[in-house]
């Protein structure tokens, strides 16, 4: 009975989304409904996380089909931590949405797509079955296709074509890779795949399949050289939708990499994990240069997704407990801060009337709180103490040092500086300078935009200042990932 | 039989990738459809092609068909069908709004 808990984070948003479609035109009701349901879901998820923390993983064998035969849902510490973070981001976005979206966009099923997206993301984190992971990828992608064209502007339609095509192609590659894997190991249950790959010591064909899977998840997570599709489609839709995409979608890709390459393909690390380090280095360099290359403030933030993914890949590549803890910590940190930044630049672009940095100046005179919030989030992003970015990067670099990877540590620190430069440039040029008299300040709108961001930054600060409280749990997740036999045993129960 | 099916899947993939690299939207969509057909055939082949055996797993039955690939394909077919139809509508709207269906002309630039 208690094992049914594992399905709740998927089922609640799914049902909520379907019901929201029934009264999509009654905006007042649907807004409150969506906010309440999001809060309830977050409460449930927080309870499950607490339960898992106390009693160990909750495993649901759906339809009572025994583990390797049926689909299993695995709510362990890693997946539940990420689901909770997803829901925290969701709360900020749902309270930001009414200010940011036009009436037409809200009426055209924004709340339905939003809940389906949350459901898909949570499902991808929780599932313990590789094919089911593909299905949840499709659920969240379908919702994201709906969200990206919401409004139907020229730019959106143009960019969404590319977005849908690249995702469709990588999904088909995913299915093909699963077919390969099935023909070799004869199962799609992740625990059993891991067991069987371990039995045959990961022969050449399995390493090839591993690299293929890396390309699939690399496309979704936006790694070098597969990130070129990411920045433009992400800035085309409304800021609140960009925030959901930037905070959640690429992170599902990096989570899948973390899961697959800590559990299944761990026997040929000289090939796979060595390769990741170099890919991570290139991702860091090209992502941070990309962020410096543009004057469009939304594009700056969208480019900043890429080096963050590079950082997380470093933790997977170095393959030690500290590296994994760093990746998990950074994942949580990055989901929150990317959402905050997208919401902030959305607010700036809305209040200043343009997203071209050359045309924005002196905003701090009109909106002091907005300015300081942006300043703090720039520091969080770049990793300046005492905020969460600092702790995440510190642990990752510790992991890299333990594995004697000095070069990647230097590249990481260097790109942190470039990241700081890219976002502080927005602060210096956009907020400082002469007062722009042509703008009539809209304080009410600004307050509605800022509160959700304050909420997110609160978590960022807590995560940084209170690192002592959170770190032991994160460290135990790192140890758990280093010992995949725990995961395998908990599911197959032999 | 498996060999022929594998080659067929390969041919579908090749034709799909060729079409995917074209400029015209409709060709690109046909390309994705061909690739998904290739992927589905491939799953079927990977589960070994047998006829006349029931899908029963028991320790004293030696000859049985594997039902799992079919379940996987069914899921995958439904998904790719949905995405393809969405893509067709999207391409129609995108080409109407932008006045062209040539992907070369839909690159976009810095200031929009």
């Amino acid at each position: 009975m208690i094992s049914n808990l594992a399905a709740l984070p998927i089922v609640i948003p799914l049902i909520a989304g379907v019901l929201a479609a029934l009264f999509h035109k009654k905006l007042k009701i649907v807004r409150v409904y969506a906010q309440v349901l999001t809060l309830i879901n977050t409460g449930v998820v927080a309870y499950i996380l607490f339960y898992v923390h106390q009693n160990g993983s909750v495993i649901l064998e759906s339809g009572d089909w025994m583990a390797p035969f049926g689909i299993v849902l695995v709510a362990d510490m890693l997946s539940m931590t990420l689901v909770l973070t997803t829901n925290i981001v969701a709360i900020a976005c749902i309270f930001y949405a009414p200010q940011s979206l036009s009436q037409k966009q809200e009426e055209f099923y924004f709340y339905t797509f939003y809940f389906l997206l949350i459901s898909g993301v949570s499902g991808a984190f929780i599932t313990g079955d590789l094919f089911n992971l593909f299905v949840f990828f499709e659920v969240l992608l379908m919702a994201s296709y709906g969200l990206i064209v919401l409004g139907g502007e020229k730019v959106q339609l143009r960019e969404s074509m590319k977005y849908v095509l690249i995702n469709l192609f990588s999904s088909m590659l995913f299915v093909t890779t699963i077919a390969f894997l099935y023909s070799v190991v004869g199962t799609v249950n992740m625990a059993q795949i891991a067991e069987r790959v371990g039995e045959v010591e990961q022969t050449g064909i399995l390493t090839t399949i591993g690299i293929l899977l890396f390309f699939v998840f690399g496309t979704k997570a936006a790694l070098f050289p597969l990130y070129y599709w990411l920045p433009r489609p992400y800035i085309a839709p409304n800021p609140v939708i960009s925030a959901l995409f930037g905070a959640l979608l690429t992170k599902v890709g990096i989570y899948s990499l973390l899961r697959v390459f800590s559990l299944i393909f761990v026997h040929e690390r000289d090939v796979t994990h060595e390769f990741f380090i170099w890919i991570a280095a290139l991702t860091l360099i090209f992502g941070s240069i990309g962020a410096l290359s543009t004057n469009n403030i939304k594009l700056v933030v969208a480019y900043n997704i890429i080096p963050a993914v590079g950082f997380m890949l470093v933790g997977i590549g170095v393959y030690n407990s500290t590296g994994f803890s760093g990746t998990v910590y950074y994942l949580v940190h990055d989901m929150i801060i990317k959402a905050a930044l997208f919401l902030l630049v959305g607010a700036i672009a809305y209040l200043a009337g343009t997203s071209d940095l050359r045309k924005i100046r002196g905003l701090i005179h009109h909106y002091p709180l907005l300015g300081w919030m942006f300043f703090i989030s720039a520091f969080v992003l770049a990793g300046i103490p005492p905020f969460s970015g600092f702790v995440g990067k510190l642990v990752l670099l510790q992991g890299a040092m333990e594995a004697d990877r000095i070069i990647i540590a230097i590249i990481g620190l260097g790109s942190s500086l470039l990241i700081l430069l890219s976002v502080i440039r927005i602060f210096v040029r956009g907020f400082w300078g002469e007062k722009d008299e042509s703008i009539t300040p809209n304080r009410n709108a600004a307050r509605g935009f800022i509160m959700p961001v304050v909420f997110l930054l609160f978590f960022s600060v807590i995560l940084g200042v209170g690192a002592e409280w959170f770190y032991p749990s994160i460290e135990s997740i790192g140890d758990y990932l280093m010992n995949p036999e725990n995961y395998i045993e908990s599911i197959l129960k032999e | 039989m498996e060999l022929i099916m594998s080659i067929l899947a390969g041919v579908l993939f090749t034709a799909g990738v060729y079409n995917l690299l074209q400029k015209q939207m409709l060709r690109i969509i046909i390309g994705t459809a061909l690739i998904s057909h290739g992927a589905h055939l491939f799953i079927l082949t990977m589960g070994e092609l047998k006829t006349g055996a029931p899908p029963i797993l028991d320790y004293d039955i030696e000859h049985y068909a594997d039902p799992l690939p079919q379940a996987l394909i069914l899921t995958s077919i439904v998904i790719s069908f949905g995405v393809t139809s969405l893509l067709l509508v999207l391409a129609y709207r995108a080409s109407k709004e932008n006045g062209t269906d040539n992907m070369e002309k839909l690159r976009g630039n810095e200031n929009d």
Side-chain angles (χ1 to χ4, degrees), chain A residues 142 162 175 182-183 294, chain B residues 43 46 66 83 106-107 110:
Chain A
M142 275 292 189
K162 301 166 195 171
V175 174
Y182 184 73
S183 75
T294 170
Chain B
I43 304 176
M46 287 291 118
D66 187 354
V83 179
L106 291 172
R107 282 172 181 235
E110 177 78 7

Side-chain angles (χ1 to χ4, degrees), chain A residues 102-165:
Chain A
S102 70
Q103 193 196 346
K104 203 173 132 205
Q105 283 172 325
E106 265 186 294
E107 277 179 0
F108 273 86
Y109 304 104
F110 167 77
Y111 294 101
T112 303
F113 288 132
Y114 156 87
F115 276 121
L116 293 182
L117 186 75
I118 302 296
S119 172
V121 171
S122 307
F125 286 146
I126 290 175
T127 185
D129 182 292
L130 204 58
F131 193 80
N132 201 230
L133 180 66
F134 159 74
V135 173
F136 277 116
F137 260 121
E138 288 307 310
V139 171
L140 73 91
L141 285 174
M142 275 292 189
S144 77
Y145 301 155
L147 286 171
I148 200 170
V149 291
L150 203 62
E153 282 167 35
K154 239 176 161 180
V155 187
Q156 281 178 305
L157 288 164
R158 193 183 68 208
E159 297 302 334
S160 61
M161 271 303 287
K162 301 166 195 171
Y163 176 79
V164 177
L165 278 173

Side-chain angles (χ1 to χ4, degrees), chain A residues 417-483:
Chain A
L417 283 179
L418 294 183
I419 291 167
L420 179 64
L421 181 63
S422 73
V423 277
I424 214 72
R425 209 166 50 116
I426 300 178
F427 181 74
V428 170
R429 291 233 227 130
F431 284 94
W432 286 358
E434 274 176 52
K435 195 172 182 176
D436 192 347
E437 299 293 351
S438 64
I439 298 176
T440 41
N442 185 351
R443 290 258 155 79
N444 272 340
R447 200 175 303 125
F449 284 129
I450 290 169
M451 286 334 279
V453 177
V454 172
F455 173 75
L456 284 176
L457 286 181
F458 168 76
F459 280 100
S460 260
V461 173
I462 290 280
L463 209 57
V465 177
E468 286 282 316
W469 305 327
F470 298 108
Y471 191 63
S473 314
I474 303 264
E475 205 175 17
S476 70
I477 297 176
D479 288 334
Y480 171 76
L481 286 174
M482 272 306 281
N483 301 302

